[in-house]
Amino acid sequence: MLVLTYLIGEFSAMVGLSEHTLRFYEKEGLIKVDRNEQNVRIYSDENKLWIENLLHMKTTGMSLKDMKQFAMWGHMGDETTEDRLTLLKNHRKKVAKELEEISRSLEHLDKKISIYEKSLGDCF
């Protein structure tokens, strides 16, 4: 099986993160990156999938602490599957609650917009 690899510049462009951010993620233990004989970072498609996973976690507001914990458990292997599942389920509950709150606020905004639109419509 052919494994595609990428240098940091091309990988950065591919995943939409700066080289600085990729180095930070590596330093923080969020991603493990192979290195070649010259100690140059070599990224893979597996790294791309992992970055996409991290970005979804970040988008949903997962804390850096929890992302680091999840990554650490992921690097440890299958014996941490239950821990990772629990972390994800707890985070999902938090996201669902926030989504409900945002949905209620959006409904409120829609009502206000409707009131103002009707008020302006009467003027014309």
Side-chain angles (χ1 to χ4, degrees):
M1 182 172 114
L2 178 64
V3 177
L4 297 177
T5 58
Y6 314 92
L7 297 177
I8 194 168
E10 56 193 341
F11 190 75
S12 169
M14 184 187 325
V15 297
L17 296 173
S18 70
E19 293 179 21
H20 173 78
T21 299
L22 291 171
R23 289 185 196 101
F24 173 78
Y25 280 8
E26 181 182 8
K27 178 179 164 259
E28 293 297 316
L30 291 171
I31 185 172
K32 286 192 175 189
V33 180
D34 291 331
R35 292 179 180 258
N36 66 13
E37 305 82 39
Q38 292 80 32
N39 203 32
V40 173
R41 289 172 180 87
I42 302 294
Y43 294 87
S44 67
D45 288 331
E46 186 176 319
N47 292 132
K48 182 178 182 288
L49 292 173
W50 184 251
I51 289 287
E52 289 170 355
N53 185 48
L54 289 176
L55 292 176
H56 284 295
M57 291 176 176
K58 182 179 176 187
T59 297
T60 60
M62 184 179 281
S63 69
L64 181 60
K65 177 185 171 197
D66 283 350
M67 288 171 59
K68 288 168 72 169
Q69 182 65 66
F70 186 85
M72 184 185 79
W73 283 333
H75 299 314
M76 292 171 66
D78 289 344
E79 68 268 11
T80 65
T81 299
E82 190 173 328
D83 295 319
R84 286 179 277 155
L85 177 60
T86 299
L87 188 146
L88 291 175
K89 283 184 172 183
N90 289 337
H91 182 65
R92 189 193 185 289
K93 286 178 190 174
K94 179 181 167 233
V95 171
K97 181 180 178 190
E98 291 172 357
L99 190 56
E100 285 178 22
E101 292 170 2
I102 289 172
S103 182
R104 281 193 303 274
S105 293
L106 183 60
E107 287 176 21
H108 176 78
L109 286 173
D110 287 341
K111 288 176 186 174
K112 282 293 193 188
I113 288 169
S114 178
I115 290 169
Y116 284 111
E117 287 175 339
K118 287 178 184 173
S119 172
L120 288 173
D122 293 341
C123 295
F124 295 104

